Amino acid sequence: MKVYYSVEELPVIKNAVLTLGTYDGVHLGHQKIIEFLVKSAKEMNGETVLFTLHPHPRVVLYPDDHGMQLIQPIEERIKKLAASGIDHLILFPFSKEFSRLTATEFVRDILVNKIGIKMMTIGYNHHFGRNRQGNLSLLKELGDVYDFKVQEIPAFKKLDHNVSSTKIRAAITDGDIATANTYLGSPFE
């Protein structure tokens, strides 16, 4: 896996199949999305791209709120993502200026014009862009306009609960490491 710290560093990516998100913990739900991503890229003779923001947006937008706790540091996340079969990892530098982009501007200017996506694989409840206005419906509309496909991954259930980084952080905070480990699919470090 190659790691990039800006989209300007990217080479031309063949049939880019992309997902985006924080991927904190790289939990079972994330692993399901990555599995679909890798499978889709193989079917399209393409390359996988995972786009994530670093530092976490809340750290930049709310610097005085010291309650933000991530499941893993960025180095552990990179290591876990590398083991998942991703071709390209973009650790995009999040800034206040970047936060002002609308969802449409982000898709057009970065995902389409800089990365050249051909397919986007996204979780059923993902939101992005300024004020989290981007969603699956908008992506499908923009896919029609900019000629890329959108693949939705439905909710992944484990023990009758949706897997989420929020639930994992809560389990860790409560000292319920067994539940956190179950959702992570590996031991919490």
Side-chain angles (χ1 to χ4, degrees), residues 102-114:
T102 66
T104 299
E105 290 168 333
F106 169 68
V107 170
R108 181 193 63 221
D109 298 348
I110 298 193
L111 301 186
V112 173
N113 293 338
K114 300 274 185 182

Side-chain angles (χ1 to χ4, degrees), residues 3-13 51 90-93 109-110 113-115:
V3 180
Y4 308 93
Y5 297 91
S6 81
V7 290
E8 307 307 325
E9 299 175 27
L10 288 174
V12 173
I13 297 174
F51 186 102
I90 301 169
L91 294 171
F92 194 85
D109 298 348
I110 298 193
N113 293 338
K114 300 274 185 182
I115 299 171

